[in-house]
């Protein structure tokens, strides 16, 4: 059974930093791309970042230069280092597995998701 | 960045009725569109990928259509567990983007 479990969420002051982790199990982690998607309170889904199985990374403009995605295949783990946090980064952050659909020539969908972890940025 | 506009924002229907949800892209994305179901406190669930393909384990009452810029998610014969928020997402180009969502509520 595929499982994705996020951790590391917390209350942090504006300008602060936080590192989220996602522990993956039940599938060959190293061969899949992985991503982070967030949902602010009362808002819709927002894609944050993605890392391919070849370590190529992609970021939303809203987090570029502040967030860094990484992975450790030996530990079956995905990470999101978040720096210079802003109030608008407050959200539930979901870890999700990338899915190519009919072919991997373009971007990705997400076929398995974690339940998410809350990050609150407030003074 | 490709913008996805979903309509309507809210759909009020009764169990057994048909739901028709729309997603319009700001430029052509071929068939690179997916649909998700989201319930409060739960992880999103992939329903449809590449416009018209049901994901693993998704019931046949969920169907998708469209290409280019206009896409439709149809839920025939609404079940009580189908009342939720539905999001579309494009994978035609980076950055990946989601629509604003359509809430399907019980009338």
């Amino acid at each position: 059974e595929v499982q994705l479990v996020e951790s590391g969420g917390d209350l942090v002051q504006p300008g602060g930093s936080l590192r989220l982790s996602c522990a993956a199990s039940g599938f060959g982690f190293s061969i899949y791309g992985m991503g982070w998607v967030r949902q602010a309170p009362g808002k819709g889904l927002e894609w944050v970042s993605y890392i391919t199985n070849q370590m190529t990374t992609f970021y939303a403009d809203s987090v570029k230069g502040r967030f860094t995605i990484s992975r450790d295949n030996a530990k079956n783990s995905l990470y999101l280092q978040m720096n210079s946090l802003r109030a608008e980064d407050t959200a539930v952050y979901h870890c999700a597995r990338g899915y190519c659909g009919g072919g991997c020539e373009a971007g990705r969908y997400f076929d398995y998701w974690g339940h998410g972890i809350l990050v609150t940025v407030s003074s | 960045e490709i913008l996805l506009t979903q309509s309507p924002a809210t759909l009020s229907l009764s169990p057994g009725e048909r739901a028709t949800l729309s997603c319009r892209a700001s430029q052509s994305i071929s068939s690179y569109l997916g649909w998700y179901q989201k319930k409060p406190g739960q992880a999103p669930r992939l329903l449809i990928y590449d416009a018209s393909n049901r994901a693993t384990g998704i019931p046949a009452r969920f169907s998708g259509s469209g290409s280019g810029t206009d896409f439709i998610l149809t839920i025939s014969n609404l079940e009580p567990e189908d009342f939720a928020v539905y999001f579309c997402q494009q994978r035609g180009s980076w950055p990946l983007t989601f629509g604003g969502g359509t809430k399907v509520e019980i009338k």
Side-chain angles (χ1 to χ4, degrees), chain A residues 2-7 20-27 29 34 36 72 75-79 95 113-114:
Chain A
V2 173
Q3 285 197 333
L4 298 169
V5 180
E6 302 91 343
S7 61
L20 302 184
S21 300
C22 171
S25 61
F27 66 101
F29 180 76
M34 298 292 297
W36 292 95
D72 184 336
K75 294 183 178 180
N76 287 346
S77 292
L78 176 72
Y79 305 101
C95 160
W113 297 63

Side-chain angles (χ1 to χ4, degrees), chain A residues 99-100 103-109, chain B residues 32 89-94 96:
Chain A
Y99 177 62
C100 290
C104 294
E105 68 284 1
R108 304 292 185 266
Y109 306 112
Chain B
Y32 295 139
Q89 179 232 321
Q90 66 81 23
R91 73 172 186 102
S93 66
W94 301 93
L96 307 178

Side-chain angles (χ1 to χ4, degrees), chain B residues 18 35 48 52 54 90 96 103:
Chain B
R18 171 188 295 257
W35 291 93
I48 300 288
S52 61
R54 273 188 300 276
Q90 66 81 23
L96 307 178
K103 181 179 183 180

Side-chain angles (χ1 to χ4, degrees), chain A residues 37 39 43-47 50 58-61 94 99-111 113-115, chain B residues 1 31-34 36 38 41-46 49-51 87 89-100:
Chain A
V37 178
Q39 186 172 29
K43 303 294 186 181
L45 299 174
E46 180 187 17
W47 169 71
Y50 188 84
F58 300 87
Y59 297 94
D61 286 346
H94 295 274
Y99 177 62
C100 290
C104 294
E105 68 284 1
R108 304 292 185 266
Y109 306 112
F110 299 102
D111 61 349
W113 297 63
H115 279 84
Chain B
E1 174 175 317
S31 295
Y32 295 139
L33 189 97
Y36 298 85
K38 178 72 169 69
Q42 295 187 18
R45 178 190 182 195
L46 178 65
Y49 67 91
D50 291 347
F87 294 94
Q89 179 232 321
Q90 66 81 23
R91 73 172 186 102
S93 66
W94 301 93
L96 307 178
T97 49
F98 287 88

Side-chain angles (χ1 to χ4, degrees), chain B residues 21-85:
Chain B
L21 288 67
S22 172
C23 179
R24 175 165 288 178
S26 60
Q27 63 191 78
S28 178
I29 53 172
S30 184
S31 295
Y32 295 139
L33 189 97
W35 291 93
Y36 298 85
Q37 179 191 69
K38 178 72 169 69
K39 296 179 181 179
Q42 295 187 18
R45 178 190 182 195
L46 178 65
L47 302 173
I48 300 288
Y49 67 91
D50 291 347
S52 61
N53 299 280
R54 273 188 300 276
T56 303
I58 301 304
R61 65 180 182 274
F62 292 92
S63 63
S65 63
S67 66
T69 60
D70 292 294
F71 301 86
I72 297 289
L73 173 70
T74 301
I75 313 170
S76 61
N77 193 18
L78 277 164
E79 296 284 346
E81 62 268 27
D82 299 336
F83 292 91
V85 181

